[in-house]
Structure formats: C-alpha cells, structure tokens
Amino acid sequence: MDAMLGSLMILVMTWTVKAQLKTGFYSTSCPSVEAIVRSTVVSHFNKDPTIAPGLLRLHFHDCFVQGCDGSILIADSSAERNALPNIGLRGFEVIDDAKSQIEAICPGVVSCADILALAASDAVDLSNGPSWTVPTGRRDGRVSLSSQASNLPSPLDPVSVQRQKFAAKGLDDHDLVTLVGAHTIGQTDCRFFSYRLYNFTTSGSADPTINVAFLAQLQALCPKGGDGLRRVALDKDSPAKFDVSFFKNVRDGNGVLESDQRLWEDSVTQNVVQNYAGSVRGLLGLRFDFEFPKAMIKLSSIEVKTGIDGEIRKLCSKFN
C-alpha cells in the first residue's frame, strides 16, 4: 500500500513540479518521442553500459549551468562542454542519435534539453535503478559559454561549498546527498583523487578518513606517479548497479572523491547518508528508490526555458 502511495505521489509531483513543464507534453505533437529516446539509449547501453552514468552526468552538468536548456551539448571552442569541470563528459552521440531520428518524423518540435532529460531517466532505469515520468516542455538555450561553468560542484569542495552551490539552484541538503548518490554507477580518473592517497594537504601521508584496507586498493589502482587517466569506479562494490552501496561506502570510509567522503563529516548530510545506507530491499523497496526520482525531477526543472523562450534546435550541437 505504501509503495503504491509513493508511486502515486511521484506521478502527481511530475504534473505540478513546474507549471510550464508537464508529462505528455508531446502527446499530440510527437507522441513517439519517449519511445525513440528509450530505444536509442537501450541501443547504446547494450554496446557500452558505462554510457548510463555518462548520460546522467551530462544532464546534471547541463542543469547546473543556465538551467536545463541543452547548452552543454553545443560543440564550440568557447562552449560549456570545453570548461575544465566538464572534462570527460560523455553521451553526446546518444543525444545526437536520438535527435536525428526524432527530427525525421517530428521536425522542429522536440528540444535537445528534453531529449537529454529523458535519456538520463532511461539511463538510471537501465542500471537497475528507479524509473519516473519526466515532465517535458523545455526549450533549448541560445547561449553556451565555458566561462559560466565555474559554479559546477568540484571533487575538492567541502560540504559548506557543496551546500552553497546546490542552494543557489534551489536544492537543499537532502537533494544534495540524494543527487550525489548518482555516483553509485559513476567512474572517475585517478587524477581527481590521487592527492588523497599520498600527500593529502601536503602532509606526505594519505587522507586519514580513507578506510585503511580501501586505501591499499586505491593505491594499487592509482600508483604514485602512474597514469592519472585510469578510470576507477566511485562505488567499489556494485559499480554497474544503481543501489545504496555508494552510501554504505561513504559511511565506512570508502568514498573515492573527497567531496563524497566529506558528506559523512557534516551532521546534516551524514544523517541523510545514514538513512540511505541503512536501507534494505524489501516489500516497500528502497528509500533511495523513492527519493532519487523526486530529486531528479527537481533538478531537471531548474531555470528551464519554456513557451517562446529559447529555441528548438535542428542539431543539438549547434544553435539554429
């Protein structure tokens, strides 16, 4: 009964979260859009499952800069995707693929921003995570500048800075921890955390918050002076499965990124981490399974352009 009620609450929320966005926005203008995006994501996922966290991160980075307007998709030397915090972003080809198919049957109707939001949801669902109905109706932005990406969260950020950056987008501490939980299927490069392994705060030793056994594992994966581009899973136990293992790792000192591990040191964020880490699968499902869709719908509604604002791009990688 509670599970059914929870599902109903998510459904109702998708209708009311943003007045200009609504479920079924393309029900008459392009009714097959969601099916096309889904089949496209499935096709790419079947070839490379690691594209799932790539799409999720791509959507997150889009929404954090000028709102969810597809500005991250613009391919230009001065555009967002070339900013330092966006190094390693993946999934552009998936969005371009879906867009070309949609344009063939519904030209000039569906925004790239909506395609990206739908693809991110499909990516989570395909990774054994929760599914949710994505409100649509976004339009694409006409500006994309790398200089505007400085507000993106960094792996070096303490909780106070993370809190400030999320709050600036209307996201609270609970949203912060919940959305960072997306790292349950993510990867990162050694270069973004190896400083924690050998010379943390120029002390000549490792970050003391890292579990000793896990430290040895990370040092083996990222040897001193080694290849900083080597990819390491952010969830050591179930990197391809969208679950609460990530939170258990943070609780136990097995967080890879400093920004993730610091969530355990703040009393407010620690409480949220603990609530998720203590969850177990059962008749009611995971608490995280319910909360993550809510946070994603909130994220995907940040500063959206609707109505006559923005444009509907013909190609996601360039302005009309």
Side-chain angles (χ1 to χ4, degrees):
M1 187 67 163
D2 289 343
M4 291 176 61
L5 180 61
S7 297
L8 180 61
M9 287 176 64
I10 291 177
L11 181 61
V12 171
M13 183 179 55
T14 63
W15 282 94
T16 59
V17 65
K18 185 78 176 181
Q20 299 95 331
L21 298 181
K22 65 177 183 179
T23 56
F25 181 83
Y26 299 107
S27 59
T28 56
S29 59
C30 193
S32 58
V33 59
E34 294 183 17
I36 292 174
V37 174
R38 174 75 179 193
S39 65
T40 304
V41 175
V42 168
S43 176
H44 286 267
F45 179 84
N46 287 340
K47 297 174 185 175
D48 177 14
T50 66
I51 199 63
L55 289 168
L56 192 52
R57 183 173 181 238
L58 192 61
H59 179 50
F60 180 90
H61 281 231
D62 180 41
C63 293
F64 241 77
V65 182
Q66 301 186 86
C68 312
D69 66 349
S71 53
I72 192 65
L73 304 172
I74 295 296
D76 184 85
S77 59
S78 62
E80 279 176 41
R81 72 158 79 179
N82 294 308
L84 185 62
N86 290 326
I87 288 177
L89 282 181
R90 302 174 59 218
F92 297 101
E93 72 283 1
V94 181
I95 308 305
D96 290 339
D97 186 359
K99 177 64 170 176
S100 65
Q101 295 178 58
I102 293 168
E103 282 296 303
I105 59 172
C106 308
V109 173
V110 181
S111 70
C112 299
D114 274 343
I115 293 173
L116 180 52
L118 290 167
S121 174
D122 289 331
V124 173
D125 183 44
L126 290 170
S127 302
N128 199 47
S131 61
W132 64 93
T133 303
V134 179
T136 47
R138 299 166 190 79
R139 287 172 65 85
D140 299 319
R142 294 193 176 102
V143 177
S144 181
L145 297 171
S146 60
S147 59
Q148 296 184 343
S150 60
N151 68 321
L152 281 164
S154 161
L156 304 178
D157 287 343
V159 173
S160 60
V161 175
Q162 294 183 64
R163 176 177 287 127
Q164 181 181 38
K165 289 180 177 179
F166 275 72
K169 297 299 178 181
L171 301 168
D172 59 27
D173 285 353
H174 193 273
D175 298 321
L176 159 62
V177 178
T178 303
L179 291 169
V180 170
H183 287 171
T184 182
I185 55 170
Q187 292 182 316
T188 190
D189 295 351
C190 288
R191 58 181 166 167
F192 294 124
F193 66 88
S194 58
Y195 68 91
R196 299 183 67 207
L197 311 181
Y198 303 102
N199 191 30
F200 185 65
T201 62
T202 65
S203 63
S205 57
D207 183 341
T209 64
I210 304 177
N211 180 288
V212 175
F214 188 49
L215 174 61
Q217 294 178 36
L218 290 178
Q219 289 177 331
L221 291 169
C222 304
K224 195 171 185 177
D227 180 10
L229 298 180
R230 181 169 182 176
R231 304 287 286 170
V232 175
L234 292 171
D235 178 353
K236 70 181 183 67
D237 297 317
S238 54
K241 186 177 180 181
F242 202 94
D243 57 20
V244 296
S245 176
F246 168 80
F247 297 107
K248 296 178 188 295
N249 287 330
V250 171
R251 177 195 63 193
D252 299 337
N254 295 327
V256 176
L257 297 178
E258 181 181 359
S259 56
D260 290 349
Q261 191 57 54
R262 296 299 171 257
L263 295 175
W264 189 248
E265 298 178 3
D266 179 274
S267 61
V268 177
T269 55
Q270 182 188 99
N271 183 59
V272 184
V273 171
Q274 180 60 63
N275 284 340
Y276 288 145
S279 297
V280 293
R281 284 198 181 276
L283 293 177
L284 300 181
L286 286 171
R287 180 182 289 109
F288 185 47
D289 282 348
F290 175 67
E291 297 294 341
F292 189 77
K294 290 202 304 182
M296 282 298 293
I297 291 171
K298 192 172 178 181
L299 169 74
S300 66
S301 301
I302 293 175
E303 301 167 17
V304 293
K305 295 167 180 63
T306 59
I308 59 173
D309 200 10
E311 64 181 15
I312 302 297
R313 288 187 214 134
K314 296 175 182 177
L315 294 174
C316 290
S317 60
K318 61 185 296 185
F319 302 119
N320 290 344

